[in-house]
Amino acid sequence: MFQLSVPATLGRPATLALLGLAALGLSACGGKERPRADLAASQVTTIGVNSYLWRASLDALSFMPLLQADSSGGVVITDWYANPGNPGERMKVTVSILDRDLRADALRVAASRQVSQGGAWVDAPVQAATVQKLEEIILTRARDLRRSAFKD
């Protein structure tokens, strides 16, 4: 057993506060077993958003030049990309990850499309199926990443 020596210059309230802090610190070292980390939990990440969605978004957009990738805010913005097979059309994509959980509603994808007309780029509508397909690709990849994390 040890003895705690408190200077006489400290008053009784300060001594009690020191003893309380010491007891609190020692109680944290008790025989309780720490809870095991659940890989599915959203708090496993050190970034501000779900790490599986983040990595899946970067993977899915890896063929496009990136303008911004902010892991704490969960935003990926690409620069304009023209498919070499169709140089008269270009796309720009923004992915927003809205939550720390791996859920479909934690992902928002927006796309812009332009077509070349007379040497100038003109805004054109994006088919809803294009955005939905990109969301599906990202979510599928995120789920695959999560599954592979459990296998390791």
Side-chain angles (χ1 to χ4, degrees):
M1 192 91 180
F2 70 93
Q3 250 185 353
L4 181 63
S5 172
V6 179
T9 57
L10 287 177
R12 183 168 173 81
T15 303
L16 290 175
L18 279 174
L19 288 173
L21 282 173
L24 184 63
L26 289 175
S27 69
C29 298
K32 287 185 179 179
E33 186 177 316
R34 293 180 130 190
R36 288 184 40 205
D38 176 14
L39 286 178
S42 59
Q43 313 311 333
V44 175
T45 179
T46 58
I47 62 176
V49 295
N50 183 277
S51 62
Y52 302 121
L53 286 173
W54 177 253
R55 286 179 36 209
S57 298
L58 293 177
D59 287 353
L61 300 174
S62 63
F63 67 97
M64 300 178 84
L66 292 180
L67 276 181
Q68 179 183 349
D70 176 13
S71 63
S72 61
V75 177
V76 178
I77 302 173
T78 70
D79 202 356
W80 290 105
Y81 170 78
N83 182 343
N86 187 9
E89 175 183 72
R90 65 184 187 173
M91 298 280 295
K92 185 175 192 172
V93 177
T94 301
V95 174
S96 301
I97 302 169
L98 308 170
D99 201 343
R100 293 181 67 129
D101 293 325
L102 177 52
R103 301 184 337 219
D105 64 348
L107 181 70
R108 181 174 299 141
V109 176
S112 299
R113 177 177 167 252
Q114 291 183 336
V115 292
S116 179
Q117 288 182 351
W121 291 104
V122 178
D123 289 337
V126 177
Q127 292 181 355
T130 303
V131 172
Q132 290 171 345
K133 183 66 176 171
L134 187 52
E135 286 178 351
E136 182 182 311
I137 289 168
I138 293 170
L139 287 167
T140 300
R141 176 71 178 135
R143 290 180 189 119
D144 289 346
L145 289 168
R146 182 176 177 265
R147 270 195 289 281
S148 68
F150 280 111
K151 290 179 184 178
D152 295 340

